[in-house]
Amino acid sequence: VQLQASGGGLVQAGGSLRLSCAASGRSFSGYGLGWFRQAPGKEREFVAAVSSGGTTYYQDSVKGRFTISRDDRDNAKNWVYLQIDSMEPEDTAVYYCAAERGYRLSTWSAKTIDYWGQGTLVTVSS
């Protein structure tokens, strides 16, 4: 199983970025796909997730600026995206894509994830 994240970079405050993650190696039907982030010196925190049925769930602090979506049409890969708008310096972090079996997105935590991708660095300059 592999989750490959991409799309990070350096963005000015107020700008936008779209992160992508390709999940492969097994069927992700019945798995939620989502994102965590880890800022320097801080713990990894949940950002957003989307179930295989399309239900979404967000950390309160990112609601309205972050949009998660997924595309399961490719037989070989499942894709999950994170659109980040109105970016703030506080969004600076390494963003990790993740997969967890089930539909209960509200219980997601770094301790319950089944599969992790490598991180992609997002830096927001003020």
Side-chain angles (χ1 to χ4, degrees):
V1 174
Q2 186 175 21
L3 278 69
Q4 185 74 33
S6 60
L10 175 63
V11 182
Q12 286 190 332
S16 297
L17 205 61
R18 188 193 195 207
L19 306 182
S20 301
C21 176
S24 61
R26 65 159 300 139
S27 169
F28 286 93
S29 175
Y31 276 75
L33 298 175
W35 297 89
F36 285 72
R37 66 184 179 183
Q38 188 166 18
K42 295 188 177 181
E43 292 187 354
R44 193 171 298 189
E45 64 173 1
F46 169 78
V47 174
V50 55
S51 73
S52 59
T55 301
T56 59
Y57 190 78
Y58 297 90
Q59 179 198 110
D60 285 344
S61 67
V62 306
K63 287 180 180 177
R65 297 192 300 116
F66 288 34
T67 304
I68 191 169
S69 61
R70 67 187 281 170
D71 187 344
D72 297 327
R73 293 173 295 176
D74 188 331
N75 289 332
K77 294 181 181 179
N78 299 80
W79 291 87
V80 59
Y81 305 100
L82 188 68
Q83 177 70 36
I84 309 174
D85 297 317
S86 303
M87 297 187 76
E88 304 169 351
E90 292 72 25
D91 295 324
T92 295
V94 177
Y95 284 71
Y96 297 89
C97 57
E100 182 176 315
R101 187 172 62 181
Y103 294 87
R104 203 170 177 184
L105 306 179
S106 62
T107 60
W108 272 41
S109 77
K111 297 179 181 179
T112 61
I113 294 302
D114 293 305
Y115 303 106
W116 288 103
Q118 95 295 355
T120 185
L121 177 62
V122 173
T123 303
V124 184
S125 63
S126 57

